[in-house]
């Protein structure tokens, strides 16, 4: 364990040494300047340092844990765990859909939660989908987007992965919106909160194990690939899968792998 901590610490130190701000191209190079502005990543050196640390954490801890989970846990149990975790998150989705004025979707989420919490045995079995109530998720970052709040520059958060100021603030708000967190705090069981987050992390990584591995192997620049996919995915989620005029099909039905430890709904959304 001490050796593992030392290796993680070394990765963090290297990351800190790499931190800096990207320098914009000169004004007399309009093409490069336009590309720089389109990337919207002025903190790229610092973001890459954090990505380097995240990749090390994934290699040393996250990936092995999810690999053992996949190997030792029967698929039906894995599916039950995923269903239960998704069901517990439903109240947060419900609140955000109400805040966005998506009342029809909010009603569907409410009915799903009732069905799966009862007939589905605390959400372990997804009875609601079989009864025609599709699953979907919303978070406060999406709510802020529907209210017209700009995403801001790209951010790579330690352990949490790709984000931006709007979505990072949204994650904090969602934490306080979550009745599970309030219940565990009231019961003086904060460990249950961290336990659920850890289980969500392992569940997400296990479900995307092969896809993430293939993506990392095939990407010339894994960081840039994640940055691009994250923005596409978030844009698609904010539009609920609708396409821009003149664009191709939305990507809401795709599991675009984004290694967010505490917010796997970014990849698991299905509308």
């Amino acid at each position: 364990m001490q050796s593992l901590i030392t290796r993680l610490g070394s990765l963090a130190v290297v990351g800190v040494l790499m931190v800096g701000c990207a320098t914009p191209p000169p004004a007399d190079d309009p093409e490069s300047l336009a590309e720089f502005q389109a990337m919207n990543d002025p903190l790229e050196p610092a973001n890459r340092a954090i990505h380097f640390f995240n990749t090390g954490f994934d290699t040393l801890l996250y990936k092995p844990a999810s690999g053992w989970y996949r190997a030792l846990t029967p698929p039906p149990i894995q599916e039950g765990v995923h269903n239960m975790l998704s069901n517990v998150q439903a109240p947060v989705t419900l609140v955000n859909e109400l805040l966005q004025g998506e009342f029809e979707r909010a009603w569907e989420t409410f009915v799903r939660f009732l069905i799966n919490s009862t007939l589905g045995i605390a959400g372990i079995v997804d009875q609601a989908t079989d009864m025609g109530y599709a699953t979907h998720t919303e978070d406060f970052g999406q709510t802020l987007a529907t209210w017209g709040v700009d995403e801001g520059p790209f951010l790579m958060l330690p352990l949490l992965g790709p984000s931006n100021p709007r979505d990072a603030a949204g994650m904090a708000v969602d934490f306080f919106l979550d009745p599970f967190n309030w219940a565990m705090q009231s019961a003086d069981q904060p460990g249950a909160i961290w336990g659920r987050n850890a289980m969500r992390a392992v569940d997400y990584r296990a479900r995307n194990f092969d896809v993430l591995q293939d993506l990392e192997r095939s990407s010339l620049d894994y960081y840039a690939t994640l940055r691009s996919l994250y923005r596409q995915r978030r844009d698609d989620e904010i539009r609920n899968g609708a396409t821009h005029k003149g664009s191709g099909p939305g990507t809401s039905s795709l599991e675009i792998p984004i290694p967010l430890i505490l917010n796997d709904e970014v990849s698991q959304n299905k509308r």
Side-chain angles (χ1 to χ4, degrees):
M1 177 61 71
Q2 184 176 1
S3 174
L4 182 60
I5 294 174
T6 300
R7 293 171 71 183
L8 283 172
S10 299
L11 289 172
V13 170
V14 172
V16 170
L17 294 176
M18 293 170 61
V19 170
C21 293
T23 303
D28 58 1
D29 188 353
E31 291 186 3
S32 297
L33 185 59
E35 182 180 359
F36 178 85
Q37 293 171 342
M39 287 191 302
N40 193 22
D41 191 3
L43 299 176
E44 183 173 351
N47 284 333
R48 285 185 177 273
I50 295 170
H51 171 67
F52 178 75
F53 172 79
N54 287 351
T55 302
F57 177 86
D58 180 69
T59 301
L60 297 175
L61 287 175
Y62 195 22
K63 183 177 179 180
S66 60
W68 280 109
Y69 174 72
R70 286 207 325 165
L72 298 177
T73 308
I77 296 180
Q78 293 184 44
E79 190 65 24
V81 169
H82 175 75
N83 291 340
M84 183 174 60
L85 291 170
S86 298
N87 191 60
V88 173
Q89 191 68 17
V92 175
T93 292
L94 174 61
V95 171
N96 279 293
E97 286 172 335
L98 291 173
L99 291 173
Q100 295 173 30
E102 295 279 358
F103 301 117
E104 184 176 343
R105 289 166 63 85
W107 172 251
E108 187 173 43
T109 297
F110 177 70
V111 174
R112 276 187 57 83
F113 182 70
L114 286 182
I115 293 174
N116 285 342
S117 297
T118 53
L119 299 178
I121 316 172
I124 295 175
V125 180
D126 185 6
Q127 292 282 1
T129 296
D130 294 338
M131 297 173 68
Y133 295 95
T135 181
H136 43 79
T137 64
E138 296 289 342
D139 57 65
F140 197 72
Q142 292 167 256
T143 298
L144 289 174
T146 64
W147 291 353
V149 178
D150 186 70
E151 66 178 356
F154 179 76
L155 294 178
M156 183 68 73
L157 300 179
L159 302 183
L160 301 178
S163 188
N164 55 58
R166 182 185 64 202
D167 290 346
M171 279 192 285
V173 173
D174 284 334
F175 180 87
F176 290 104
L177 288 177
D178 195 333
F180 177 87
N181 294 336
W182 284 100
M184 293 303 99
Q185 290 286 4
S186 299
D188 196 25
Q189 296 292 330
I193 299 174
W194 293 106
R196 182 183 70 152
N197 286 336
M199 194 63 250
R200 290 175 65 186
V202 172
D203 171 66
Y204 166 81
R205 189 61 173 85
R207 290 172 68 86
N208 293 280
F209 194 93
D210 295 328
V211 179
L212 281 169
Q213 184 165 276
D214 291 343
L215 182 68
E216 185 172 8
R217 287 176 176 174
S218 62
S219 298
L220 296 176
D221 186 345
Y222 189 38
Y223 168 83
T225 299
L226 291 178
R227 178 179 61 195
S228 176
L229 288 177
Y230 179 76
R231 284 174 168 157
Q232 293 176 52
R233 181 63 185 177
R234 289 303 280 170
D235 180 62
D236 193 69
E237 288 178 334
I238 290 164
R239 295 182 288 108
N240 290 336
T243 59
H244 287 303
K245 185 176 181 180
S247 67
T251 60
S252 63
S253 62
L254 301 179
E255 285 195 68
I256 297 177
I258 304 298
L260 289 178
I261 288 182
L262 300 184
N263 193 10
D264 69 331
E265 280 72 20
V266 170
S267 76
Q268 301 300 339
N269 231 8
K270 285 189 171 59
R271 295 180 167 86

